[in-house]
Amino acid sequence: MKFFHVLWVLCALSLHGYAIDREAFTVTNYDLDIRVEPEQQRLAARGKIILRNRSKSPQKNLSLQISSSLDWRSIQVDGKAVQFVSQLYTSDIDHTGALSEAIVTIPGEIPPQATVELEIGYEGVITLDAARLTRIGVPAEVARHSDWDQISKSGTAVRGVGYVAWYPIATEAANLSEGNSVFETVARWKAREAEAQLKVKFKHFGEGTPAILACNGEPGGLRSSQGTETSYEGVTECAFQPLGDAVPLFTIGKYEAIDRPAIDISYSPDHKPAAERYAIAAQLALPFVTEWFGTPKGRSEVKAEVIELSDPEAAPYESGSMLLTPLNVDSKMAQLSVVHELTHAAFYSPQPWIYEGLAHFAQAVFREREGGRDAALDFMDVHRRAVAEAEKVVSTAARQGNDAPDSLIATSVEEFYRSKAMYVWWMLRDMIGDSKLKQSLEAYRAEDDRKPAYMQHLLESQTQRDLQWFFDDWVYRDRGLPDFRIVSAHPRKMMGNSYIVTVTLENRGDAGAEVPVTLKMVDGQVIKRLEVRGKSEATIRIETTSTPLELVVNDGSVPESDRNNNVYEIELPEKSN
Ligand SMILES: [Zn+2]
C-alpha cells in the first residue's frame, strides 16, 4: 500500500514537472554534422540548432525528440551543459513507435518570439523497425516493406519526419489507430517548419568499393566518395533553404547511374537491365509529358531522379521529383512511375492537390493513350475506392463546418490531394477539353499561385465558363462524393426506328458533377453529358437511331460513393398504331 502511494506521488511529480507545450517552439535553423556507418547501422550527430518561441507565453522548458533508437549525448547553451531529462515518448510519428525525448530546462526564460541556440549531440542505430505498424495489427511481412527505413550495409535509405526522426523534431504524440492523427501531426510540423533552414554535412564510411550518398536537398544528386582498396570515406553536403514541404531523406548505396537529359537513374550494378527499362520508359513518355506539362527541367529547373531501393518489395516513396523504388517492376509499371516523376519535374505547384493531382492525372491520361479510355478508367478505379473509404472517415460534422479541413486546398490526407485531385483534373478535362486545359496549365505560374481561386480563374479565363460551383463542391470544400441514380426514362417513338428518350437523373450526394449518360441501342450507343448538382435532379432528352435498350449513368470518370444503382433497363411503350 505504501509502495503504491509513493509511486503515485512520483507520477504526479513527474507529470507536473513535464507539463510542457511541445509545439511552442519552431526550429528555425539546423546545422548538423552527421556520421553514418552502414556496417554498424550507426548514426552520430553533432551540431547547432536555433529554436524560436512561437507561443504567446515565456517558456522555461522545451522538448526535443529523436527516434527512440537514438540517444541524447549532450545539450549545451553558450558552451555550458544544460539540464535535461531524457524519456521515452510514445508516438507513431517515428517507425519505432516512440521517440527519445529530451525535456530541456533553459537557464532563464525564453520570451515569446525570442530564440535560443543549442549545441546538441545524439547517436545510436537506425535498424529496420516496423513496430508502429505491427502493433496495430499489420502483418510483419507487409509492415517491413512499408517502413523500410534503415542504415545497413546492404542499402541505406532513411526518410525524415513521419518515418524516422533522424534530426530533432517536437510534436505532440501521434497515434496510427486514431484516424489521420499521424498525417495531421506531420502536416502541422511541416507547416511550422516550412521556413526553416536545414544544412547537413554527411560523412559516411565503409569497407570495399566506395558507396555514394544521395539526398533530396541542394545541391541534390549523388556525391562520390574517396576510397582506398579496403575502405572508403565520403562527404556530402545537403541543404534545404528553406525546407518547404520536403521530408529530408538520404540514401547510401554502391550505385551505378544512367544520366539522361530529363531523368537520372541510380541502381545497384546487378540490376542494370531493370534500370535500362526505366530509362527507355522515360524516353518513350517524355514527348507525352512535354506536350501536356512542358519540358521536364523546364519550368521547375529540376530533373526526375530514380534511386533504387534494395528491398525488392519495398513500397515506392517519392519526394518532389525524386523516386525511391525497387526497380524490379514490369515495363508498364515503370512507365507509369516515370510519367509521374517527369510530370513533377516539368510542372511545379506549391499546392499539393495541383502538384500531386496532376502527376496522377498524367498517369491516367497516359494509360488512356496506351490502352483507351476504359484502361484509364480501370486505372483510376483503384483510386476511387481509396477516396470513397477516406470520405467515410471524414465526419459529416467536419464536412459541414466552415473551415473545411479536408477540402482539397487544406487537406493533409493523401487519398484526397492525390486520388481525389486526380479525378478533379480528369473531370475538368472532360468538361473543358484537352486544349483548353493544356492552355490553362501553360499559363500557370507557381509564384503567382497565392490565393485558392487562382487555378479556377485561370481555367475560367481560358474557357469563359463559370466553374465556381464545381470548385465549391470539389476543391474549396469537402462535400463528399456524388451518388447518381436514373429516376426515369420515357421513350417516345419517332420516325422509323428512332426514339426520343427523356431521362431524369438524381444525384443523392452533396457534390455536383457533369456526368456522362450512355444510352445503349440495338445498334450502337449514344453518350451525352449532363450537369447534376448536389441533392438535385436534372433531365435530358436523347435521340436514338435505333431501338433503345439500356441507360448507364457515369462511365467511371466521376468518383461516386455507390456505383450499384447506375444501370436502367428501358421499357418500351406498347406498340402504338
Ligand atoms: Zn508525386
Side-chain angles (χ1 to χ4, degrees), residues 318 320 340-341 344 355-356 359-360 418:
E318 58 163 352
H340 189 104
E341 300 318 314
H344 280 330
Y355 186 65
E356 288 302 342
H360 290 279
R418 291 178 183 276

